[in-house]
Amino acid sequence: MELTVYLAGQIHDNWREELKVEAQKRNLPLTFVGPQTDHDRSDQIGEAILGEQPGHYYRDDAASAVNNFRTEVLMRKADVVIGLFGEKYKQWNTAMDVSTAITLNKPTIIIRPDSLIHPLKELSNKVNVTVETIEQALDVLAYIYE
Amino acid sequence: MELTVYLAGQIHDNWREELKVEAQKRNLPLTFVGPQTDHDRSDQIGEAILGEQPGHYYRDDAASAVNNFRTEVLMRKADVVIGLFGEKYKQWNTAMDVSTAITLNKPTIIIRPDSLIHPLKELSNKVNVTVETIEQALDVLAYIYE
Amino acid sequence: MELTVYLAGQIHDNWREELKVEAQKRNLPLTFVGPQTDHDRSDQIGEAILGEQPGHYYRDDAASAVNNFRTEVLMRKADVVIGLFGEKYKQWNTAMDVSTAITLNKPTIIIRPDSLIHPLKELSNKVNVTVETIEQALDVLAYIYE
Amino acid sequence: MELTVYLAGQIHDNWREELKVEAQKRNLPLTFVGPQTDHDRSDQIGEAILGEQPGHYYRDDAASAVNNFRTEVLMRKADVVIGLFGEKYKQWNTAMDVSTAITLNKPTIIIRPDSLIHPLKELSNKVNVTVETIEQALDVLAYIYE
Amino acid sequence: MELTVYLAGQIHDNWREELKVEAQKRNLPLTFVGPQTDHDRSDQIGEAILGEQPGHYYRDDAASAVNNFRTEVLMRKADVVIGLFGEKYKQWNTAMDVSTAITLNKPTIIIRPDSLIHPLKELSNKVNVTVETIEQALDVLAYIYE
Amino acid sequence: MELTVYLAGQIHDNWREELKVEAQKRNLPLTFVGPQTDHDRSDQIGEAILGEQPGHYYRDDAASAVNNFRTEVLMRKADVVIGLFGEKYKQWNTAMDVSTAITLNKPTIIIRPDSLIHPLKELSNKVNVTVETIEQALDVLAYIYE
Amino acid sequence: MELTVYLAGQIHDNWREELKVEAQKRNLPLTFVGPQTDHDRSDQIGEAILGEQPGHYYRDDAASAVNNFRTEVLMRKADVVIGLFGEKYKQWNTAMDVSTAITLNKPTIIIRPDSLIHPLKELSNKVNVTVETIEQALDVLAYIYE
Amino acid sequence: MELTVYLAGQIHDNWREELKVEAQKRNLPLTFVGPQTDHDRSDQIGEAILGEQPGHYYRDDAASAVNNFRTEVLMRKADVVIGLFGEKYKQWNTAMDVSTAITLNKPTIIIRPDSLIHPLKELSNKVNVTVETIEQALDVLAYIYE
């Protein structure tokens, strides 16, 4: 049984690559989808398509429109959503994506360091499983196939 | 037409009181609901009801269970959700509540300072209206009754 | 049994007032809600709340955000939606509102002159009842109470 | 990941062909579906199947029944909906289809010329992304695959 | 706790009145709604509102449009649906209304004589409770208040 | 685009075979599913699986349970539902299946002879298209592929 | 804000009365609904309404039909569901009611003794809050009003 | 037509294997999914992934989180759910899974011995078909393909 996994979360490091490599090592039949991970491209996509916008609010809104479109298309295809929170950045869009997944009754996992237990406690209580490492998230996915 | 408004967001200052006072000045037939705003009570409610927990993760999880229960009960009653983001704090539960509201097709407004345009851009693009002040949020609510 | 009726459609004449007067004559226990009918106020509401916008597209988008918020709040309360199409104007927001109502399984009526049969044929086929006059729309509503 | 795209909108020119050619040039794995684009066939399909109808209203209603059936079948299969509005024609069925897609939470794009900003402002505010050209719409679709 | 009960079914005898009288005797806090029970009015309502139609099919379709509108408005308000089938008549609209109620997860009861067990077996298997008399249907409703 | 079509309706003649043959002639990529068409098997399936039942009501209920299970499984897979009504029999299960399909927003067609216009008028008004012959139903399906 | 609470669970002791008394002491604006708590009446209600059934399976099925009808009507009205599990009895209907509530996104609490932690672990993990005493359940409800 | 069947229920004997063997004998195109059937693994999976927990409640809750995640992923893929109840054990998670399936409108079968008629009567009344043996459950599945 092939499953599609949406990887929500920060795009400032290569955690998605690590996770994909690890999934391949384990031979799990998973397809991974997620947001644009080229940060500059993600921020500029609105103006790249729609042309220059009159200020930073409008520039951000145009980019978000295209990024949210992408997320919606791909999340509709996802069987599982994994959200990773790191110690830096606000990551409200990660919280938004994970919460959307929960409300759509998609099974969800969040990965977060011990240091974020307190600020993420409500979201953690709502998702199916909260883990601290990429390996643990894959353990949960691998368990489906046992 | 009476409307119920859920006020999501930080519980570290008295923005809800300001908003309620302003709503009363304008004679808007609104009922406001929201989370527990006594921060200590909110953090301790799990242990207050369920007894001492074996560590901070379990203490936070127990508190979140009760807080999420409260939020779900009240948000189901809400016709409109307003989420306020301030410059401090992670506020991931605010993003979670607002995103839940959007996914449930509840009309939503977010209030956030100009400085948060960039990190909130995706959420801002998804809600109905984004404003910067409590007064503006009330302008939007008052417009329903014009 | 009291019913709430959302009156979608053009805001360039006083058809809503005519319909309300007629409903009162018939003593129907109906509450009517609808969009802002002061055309200038409707077009300016975005800038009135959010401040001056950098061009007509942004001005229109800001106004639409507030108007769509109002429509969503009120349509959620509506038991019935009536959409009126006149011979002038594009009225795509009327088609949007009526189509939203149909998709949400709200009982809907459209009022349109004979001259608009052809361009409105798909929408007319989808709504519950299509009539040509306000009186006929009220006949349909009154029939609920016979 | 293959996606199915429903192309709503006017059937008076060959914009769908242009869009498909452009998609092929970019090697996007998209399947396009849409309404009957032979205008006469579309208008006559009711009588072609059900026999002569007693007047233009009934003829239009019979055609719309078959056209709406087709649209519903294909839109249920679509992952994305694109609606194009041109400067001529009422195009209320395009607004209807796009609004149906939004209410069903299908990701949507509209293409419209600058001259239609004002009459389409509410719909534009509700869809994910509004663009002015077919190329821009494909830019948005292509971005999913980056 | 007040409940609203939609009474679907034949309009050729006065079973609704019997049921209402019996409910009053038992002091049950029930509000009953249902279709137009004046058979001629029900058949003529399309032409009464929309004017003469070009043949019996169109006359019936116009009447059904108004009757279905009424049913949809009232069934949305109903907490419970009761459908009565008698030995005469096709009563496909009764089966339609009951099936709609089931699919909308509204609790449903059907009343039918012993002689209709076989033709109604699938519908009977799907509803909550099948009884043979009006008194039994009221027994089921009364049980809610015990 | 392959489509699955559920064929609801009477199982006393071979209309399904006629329809399938005609679909093959036209090379339409359709898969047809439907109820058990061996009438005796359909009536006896409850006792065949569950053993002898204590009377005709219980025998019919047991059979209906298995038949409704089959219908639910297959209708969930269907993109389109076609219901055929003939002049004999009550066919309330056909009305039930078609009404279920409509409420689930599945595109539906009914086939019925001219003589059944009046008793089927409400259902006819609700489905997408009503036709009189198998050929016309296939014309509607074929139109999807034009 | 008045809330309606459905009390699912065993009907072999008077835990519902205890809970109601405690709620009154605290002046909570709660309305409680629940199943028939007269055990004999609950088991006999099928035959009481429908007449003698041909064996214990049919007797139980008839009673369950009426009891499930009652539960569905009342649970649709409930804002919150509380399920209590005791040490005796199978209580599969309690698990069924609580699971139904969760799947319908109704906020839920379960009350169960420490001895049932292991067999109830999956259900406990799914509900909002799990407590051991009636007082704790009321603490959770009372927290909504703080 | 391939169907996926979720096998809910006790993991203390090899009923799933028996059922799969029987399905293969009959050449039914069915894919079976279900919970982890290694009982120890199922109970330990929480600690296996998340590390040692501070007591049996937390250990059980961690295991349930991972098991519920697995169940949700697989049940979303299932066309049919079969739940087996044996005479031993509480099996509340089986009741939970079957009730979830019913509420999600998935066709369901339960298998239970004659001795469990009474405690399972409400659940039995809600599912599509209740049988006593694995062979009967397969008879019901096989009937889909007749």
Side-chain angles (χ1 to χ4, degrees):
Chain A
M1 178 171 283
E2 308 236 333
L3 296 171
T4 299
V5 182
Y6 187 89
L7 300 175
Q10 61 182 29
I11 59 176
H12 306 78
D13 60 20
N14 67 338
W15 70 274
R16 285 180 187 77
E17 283 322 300
E18 283 178 48
L19 193 147
K20 288 175 196 174
V21 167
E22 181 70 19
Q24 263 182 324
K25 274 194 211 152
R26 302 186 188 203
N27 281 320
L28 298 174
L30 302 171
T31 303
F32 294 100
V33 293
Q36 172 59 262
T37 53
D38 177 335
H39 198 182
D40 286 348
R41 178 71 172 152
S42 172
D43 277 1
Q44 292 161 358
I45 187 64
E47 291 195 328
I49 295 177
L50 298 166
E52 201 184 344
Q53 300 296 310
H56 70 116
Y57 167 74
Y58 303 98
R59 180 176 180 267
D60 275 353
D61 193 49
S64 295
V66 181
N67 284 317
N68 283 341
F69 173 82
R70 176 183 168 132
T71 301
E72 285 185 30
V73 171
L74 295 177
M75 201 185 278
R76 283 170 64 99
K77 294 286 186 188
D79 300 300
V80 170
V81 172
I82 296 179
L84 179 140
F85 290 85
E87 288 181 322
K88 283 190 278 185
Y89 314 111
K90 297 283 190 187
Q91 303 168 100
W92 284 319
N93 57 341
T94 311
M96 176 183 88
D97 289 346
V98 171
S99 181
T100 301
I102 297 166
T103 312
L104 295 173
N105 297 314
K106 303 228 177 223
T108 48
I109 297 167
I110 60 178
I111 308 173
R112 54 107 186 83
D114 189 85
S115 57
L116 293 182
I117 286 178
H118 192 67
L120 272 172
K121 63 184 188 300
E122 285 86 5
L123 204 55
S124 175
N125 179 260
K126 270 200 168 181
V127 297
N128 290 76
V129 190
T130 299
V131 299
E132 294 187 16
T133 67
I134 285 170
E135 285 69 27
Q136 288 173 316
L138 278 164
D139 289 346
V140 177
L141 292 178
Y143 183 67
I144 300 172
Y145 296 101
E146 286 186 11
Chain B
M1 178 170 283
E2 307 236 334
L3 296 170
T4 299
V5 182
Y6 187 88
L7 300 175
Q10 62 183 29
I11 59 176
H12 306 77
D13 60 20
N14 67 338
W15 72 273
R16 285 178 187 80
E17 284 320 300
E18 281 179 49
L19 194 146
K20 287 174 197 174
V21 167
E22 180 71 18
Q24 263 183 322
K25 272 193 213 155
R26 302 187 187 202
N27 281 318
L28 298 174
L30 302 171
T31 302
F32 295 99
V33 292
Q36 170 60 260
T37 53
D38 176 335
H39 198 182
D40 286 345
R41 177 74 174 152
S42 172
D43 276 1
Q44 293 160 358
I45 187 64
E47 291 195 328
I49 295 178
L50 298 166
E52 201 184 344
Q53 300 296 310
H56 70 114
Y57 167 73
Y58 303 98
R59 178 176 182 267
D60 274 353
D61 194 47
S64 295
V66 181
N67 284 316
N68 283 342
F69 173 82
R70 176 183 169 132
T71 301
E72 285 185 31
V73 171
L74 295 176
M75 201 185 278
R76 282 170 64 97
K77 295 286 187 187
D79 301 299
V80 169
V81 174
I82 296 179
L84 179 141
F85 290 85
E87 288 181 323
K88 284 190 277 186
Y89 314 111
K90 297 284 189 186
Q91 305 168 96
W92 283 319
N93 56 340
T94 310
M96 176 184 88
D97 290 345
V98 170
S99 182
T100 301
I102 297 166
T103 313
L104 295 173
N105 295 316
K106 303 229 177 221
T108 48
I109 298 167
I110 60 178
I111 308 173
R112 55 104 187 84
D114 189 85
S115 57
L116 294 181
I117 286 178
H118 192 68
L120 274 171
K121 64 185 188 298
E122 285 87 3
L123 202 57
S124 175
N125 179 260
K126 269 200 170 181
V127 298
N128 290 76
V129 190
T130 299
V131 299
E132 295 187 16
T133 67
I134 285 169
E135 285 69 29
Q136 288 174 316
L138 278 164
D139 289 347
V140 177
L141 292 177
Y143 184 67
I144 299 171
Y145 296 102
E146 287 185 9
Chain C
M1 178 170 283
E2 307 235 333
L3 295 170
T4 299
V5 182
Y6 187 88
L7 300 175
Q10 62 182 29
I11 59 176
H12 305 78
D13 60 21
N14 66 337
W15 70 274
R16 284 178 188 80
E17 284 320 301
E18 281 180 49
L19 194 147
K20 287 174 196 175
V21 167
E22 181 71 19
Q24 264 182 322
K25 273 193 211 155
R26 301 187 187 203
N27 281 318
L28 298 174
L30 302 171
T31 302
F32 295 99
V33 292
Q36 171 60 261
T37 54
D38 176 335
H39 198 182
D40 286 348
R41 177 72 173 154
S42 171
D43 276 2
Q44 292 160 358
I45 187 64
E47 291 195 328
I49 295 177
L50 298 166
E52 202 184 344
Q53 299 296 309
H56 70 114
Y57 168 73
Y58 303 99
R59 179 176 180 267
D60 275 351
D61 193 48
S64 295
V66 181
N67 285 315
N68 283 343
F69 173 82
R70 175 182 169 132
T71 301
E72 285 185 31
V73 171
L74 295 176
M75 202 186 277
R76 282 170 64 98
K77 294 287 187 187
D79 301 298
V80 170
V81 173
I82 297 179
L84 179 141
F85 290 86
E87 287 179 324
K88 285 190 276 186
Y89 314 111
K90 297 285 190 187
Q91 303 167 98
W92 283 320
N93 56 342
T94 310
M96 176 184 88
D97 289 345
V98 170
S99 181
T100 301
I102 297 165
T103 313
L104 295 173
N105 295 316
K106 302 231 177 221
T108 49
I109 298 167
I110 60 176
I111 308 172
R112 56 102 187 86
D114 189 86
S115 57
L116 294 181
I117 285 177
H118 192 68
L120 273 171
K121 64 184 188 300
E122 284 86 4
L123 203 56
S124 175
N125 179 260
K126 270 199 169 181
V127 297
N128 290 75
V129 190
T130 300
V131 299
E132 295 187 14
T133 67
I134 285 170
E135 284 70 28
Q136 288 173 317
L138 278 165
D139 289 346
V140 177
L141 291 178
Y143 183 68
I144 299 171
Y145 296 102
E146 287 185 10
Chain D
M1 178 169 284
E2 307 236 334
L3 296 171
T4 299
V5 182
Y6 187 88
L7 300 175
Q10 62 182 27
I11 59 176
H12 305 79
D13 60 19
N14 67 338
W15 70 274
R16 285 179 187 78
E17 284 321 301
E18 282 178 50
L19 193 147
K20 288 174 196 174
V21 167
E22 181 70 19
Q24 264 183 323
K25 274 194 212 154
R26 302 186 187 202
N27 281 320
L28 298 174
L30 302 171
T31 302
F32 295 100
V33 293
Q36 171 59 261
T37 53
D38 176 335
H39 198 182
D40 286 347
R41 178 71 174 153
S42 171
D43 277 359
Q44 292 160 359
I45 188 64
E47 291 195 329
I49 294 177
L50 298 166
E52 201 185 343
Q53 300 296 309
H56 70 116
Y57 168 74
Y58 303 98
R59 179 176 180 267
D60 275 353
D61 193 49
S64 295
V66 181
N67 284 316
N68 282 342
F69 173 82
R70 175 183 170 133
T71 301
E72 285 185 30
V73 171
L74 295 176
M75 201 185 279
R76 283 170 63 98
K77 295 286 187 188
D79 300 301
V80 170
V81 173
I82 296 179
L84 179 140
F85 290 86
E87 288 180 322
K88 284 191 277 185
Y89 315 111
K90 297 285 189 186
Q91 304 168 98
W92 284 318
N93 56 341
T94 310
M96 177 183 87
D97 289 346
V98 171
S99 181
T100 300
I102 297 165
T103 312
L104 295 173
N105 296 315
K106 303 228 177 223
T108 48
I109 297 167
I110 60 177
I111 309 172
R112 54 106 186 83
D114 189 85
S115 57
L116 293 181
I117 286 178
H118 192 66
L120 273 172
K121 65 183 186 299
E122 284 87 5
L123 204 56
S124 175
N125 178 260
K126 270 200 168 180
V127 298
N128 290 75
V129 189
T130 300
V131 299
E132 294 187 15
T133 69
I134 284 170
E135 285 69 28
Q136 289 173 315
L138 278 164
D139 289 346
V140 177
L141 291 177
Y143 183 67
I144 299 171
Y145 297 101
E146 286 185 11
Chain E
M1 179 171 283
E2 307 236 334
L3 296 171
T4 299
V5 182
Y6 187 89
L7 300 174
Q10 62 182 27
I11 60 176
H12 306 78
D13 60 19
N14 67 337
W15 71 273
R16 284 178 187 80
E17 284 320 302
E18 280 179 49
L19 194 146
K20 287 174 196 174
V21 167
E22 181 70 19
Q24 264 182 323
K25 274 194 211 152
R26 302 186 187 204
N27 281 319
L28 299 174
L30 303 171
T31 302
F32 295 100
V33 293
Q36 170 60 262
T37 54
D38 176 335
H39 198 182
D40 286 348
R41 177 71 173 154
S42 171
D43 277 1
Q44 292 160 359
I45 188 64
E47 291 195 328
I49 295 177
L50 299 166
E52 202 185 343
Q53 300 295 309
H56 69 116
Y57 167 74
Y58 303 98
R59 180 177 179 266
D60 275 352
D61 193 49
S64 294
V66 181
N67 284 315
N68 282 342
F69 173 82
R70 176 183 168 133
T71 301
E72 285 185 29
V73 171
L74 295 177
M75 201 185 279
R76 282 171 65 98
K77 294 287 188 186
D79 300 299
V80 170
V81 173
I82 296 179
L84 179 141
F85 290 86
E87 288 180 322
K88 284 190 276 187
Y89 315 111
K90 297 285 191 187
Q91 303 168 97
W92 283 319
N93 56 342
T94 310
M96 175 184 89
D97 289 345
V98 171
S99 182
T100 301
I102 297 165
T103 313
L104 295 173
N105 296 316
K106 302 229 177 222
T108 49
I109 298 167
I110 61 176
I111 307 172
R112 56 103 186 85
D114 189 85
S115 57
L116 294 182
I117 285 177
H118 192 67
L120 272 172
K121 65 184 188 297
E122 284 87 4
L123 203 56
S124 175
N125 179 261
K126 269 199 170 182
V127 297
N128 290 75
V129 190
T130 300
V131 298
E132 294 187 16
T133 68
I134 285 170
E135 284 71 27
Q136 288 174 316
L138 279 164
D139 289 347
V140 177
L141 292 178
Y143 183 68
I144 299 171
Y145 296 102
E146 287 185 9
Chain F
M1 179 171 282
E2 307 236 334
L3 295 171
T4 300
V5 182
Y6 187 88
L7 300 175
Q10 61 182 29
I11 60 176
H12 306 78
D13 60 19
N14 68 338
W15 71 274
R16 284 179 187 78
E17 284 321 301
E18 282 179 48
L19 194 146
K20 287 174 197 175
V21 167
E22 181 71 17
Q24 263 182 323
K25 274 193 211 154
R26 301 187 187 202
N27 281 320
L28 298 174
L30 302 172
T31 303
F32 295 100
V33 292
Q36 171 61 260
T37 54
D38 177 334
H39 197 182
D40 287 346
R41 177 73 173 152
S42 171
D43 277 0
Q44 292 160 358
I45 188 64
E47 291 194 329
I49 295 177
L50 298 166
E52 202 185 343
Q53 300 296 309
H56 70 115
Y57 168 73
Y58 302 98
R59 180 178 181 265
D60 275 353
D61 194 48
S64 295
V66 181
N67 284 317
N68 282 343
F69 173 82
R70 177 183 168 132
T71 302
E72 285 184 30
V73 171
L74 295 176
M75 200 184 279
R76 282 169 65 98
K77 294 286 188 187
D79 300 301
V80 170
V81 173
I82 297 180
L84 179 140
F85 290 85
E87 288 180 322
K88 284 191 278 187
Y89 315 109
K90 296 283 188 186
Q91 303 168 98
W92 283 320
N93 57 341
T94 311
M96 176 183 88
D97 289 346
V98 171
S99 182
T100 301
I102 297 165
T103 312
L104 295 173
N105 295 316
K106 302 229 177 222
T108 49
I109 297 168
I110 62 177
I111 309 173
R112 54 104 186 87
D114 188 86
S115 57
L116 293 181
I117 286 177
H118 192 67
L120 273 171
K121 64 185 187 299
E122 284 87 4
L123 203 55
S124 176
N125 178 260
K126 269 199 169 180
V127 297
N128 290 75
V129 189
T130 300
V131 299
E132 294 187 14
T133 69
I134 284 170
E135 285 70 27
Q136 288 173 316
L138 279 164
D139 289 347
V140 177
L141 292 177
Y143 183 68
I144 299 171
Y145 297 102
E146 285 185 12
Chain G
M1 178 171 283
E2 308 235 333
L3 295 170
T4 299
V5 182
Y6 187 88
L7 300 175
Q10 62 182 26
I11 59 176
H12 306 78
D13 60 20
N14 66 337
W15 71 274
R16 284 178 187 79
E17 285 320 302
E18 281 178 49
L19 194 147
K20 287 175 197 174
V21 167
E22 181 70 18
Q24 263 182 324
K25 273 193 212 154
R26 302 187 187 202
N27 281 318
L28 299 174
L30 302 171
T31 302
F32 295 99
V33 292
Q36 171 59 260
T37 53
D38 176 336
H39 198 183
D40 286 347
R41 177 72 173 154
S42 172
D43 276 2
Q44 292 160 359
I45 188 64
E47 291 195 328
I49 295 177
L50 298 166
E52 202 184 343
Q53 300 296 309
H56 70 116
Y57 168 73
Y58 303 99
R59 179 175 180 268
D60 275 352
D61 193 49
S64 295
V66 181
N67 284 316
N68 283 342
F69 173 82
R70 176 183 168 132
T71 301
E72 285 185 30
V73 171
L74 295 176
M75 202 185 277
R76 283 170 65 98
K77 293 288 188 186
D79 300 299
V80 170
V81 173
I82 296 179
L84 179 141
F85 289 85
E87 288 180 324
K88 285 191 276 186
Y89 316 111
K90 297 285 190 186
Q91 304 169 96
W92 283 320
N93 57 340
T94 310
M96 175 184 88
D97 289 346
V98 170
S99 182
T100 301
I102 297 165
T103 313
L104 295 173
N105 296 316
K106 302 229 178 221
T108 49
I109 298 167
I110 61 177
I111 308 173
R112 55 105 186 85
D114 189 85
S115 57
L116 294 182
I117 285 178
H118 192 67
L120 273 171
K121 65 185 188 298
E122 284 87 5
L123 203 56
S124 176
N125 179 260
K126 269 200 170 180
V127 297
N128 291 75
V129 189
T130 299
V131 299
E132 295 187 16
T133 67
I134 285 169
E135 285 69 28
Q136 288 173 317
L138 279 164
D139 289 346
V140 178
L141 292 178
Y143 183 67
I144 299 171
Y145 296 102
E146 287 184 10
Chain H
M1 179 170 284
E2 307 235 333
L3 295 171
T4 299
V5 182
Y6 187 88
L7 299 175
Q10 61 181 29
I11 59 177
H12 306 77
D13 61 19
N14 68 338
W15 71 273
R16 284 180 186 78
E17 283 322 300
E18 281 179 50
L19 194 147
K20 288 175 195 173
V21 167
E22 181 71 18
Q24 262 181 325
K25 274 194 212 154
R26 301 187 187 202
N27 281 319
L28 298 174
L30 302 171
T31 302
F32 295 99
V33 293
Q36 170 60 262
T37 55
D38 177 335
H39 198 182
D40 286 347
R41 177 73 172 150
S42 171
D43 277 359
Q44 293 160 357
I45 187 65
E47 291 194 330
I49 295 177
L50 298 166
E52 201 185 343
Q53 300 296 309
H56 69 116
Y57 167 74
Y58 303 98
R59 180 176 180 267
D60 275 353
D61 193 49
S64 295
V66 181
N67 285 316
N68 283 342
F69 173 82
R70 176 182 167 133
T71 301
E72 286 185 30
V73 171
L74 295 176
M75 201 185 279
R76 282 170 65 98
K77 293 287 187 187
D79 300 301
V80 170
V81 173
I82 297 180
L84 179 140
F85 290 85
E87 288 180 322
K88 283 190 278 186
Y89 315 111
K90 297 284 189 187
Q91 302 167 99
W92 283 319
N93 58 340
T94 311
M96 176 183 89
D97 289 346
V98 170
S99 181
T100 301
I102 296 165
T103 312
L104 295 173
N105 296 316
K106 302 230 177 221
T108 49
I109 297 168
I110 61 178
I111 309 173
R112 55 107 185 83
D114 188 85
S115 57
L116 293 182
I117 286 177
H118 192 66
L120 273 171
K121 64 184 189 299
E122 284 86 5
L123 204 56
S124 175
N125 178 260
K126 269 200 170 179
V127 298
N128 290 76
V129 189
T130 300
V131 300
E132 294 186 15
T133 68
I134 284 169
E135 286 70 26
Q136 289 173 316
L138 278 164
D139 288 347
V140 177
L141 292 178
Y143 183 68
I144 298 171
Y145 296 101
E146 286 185 11

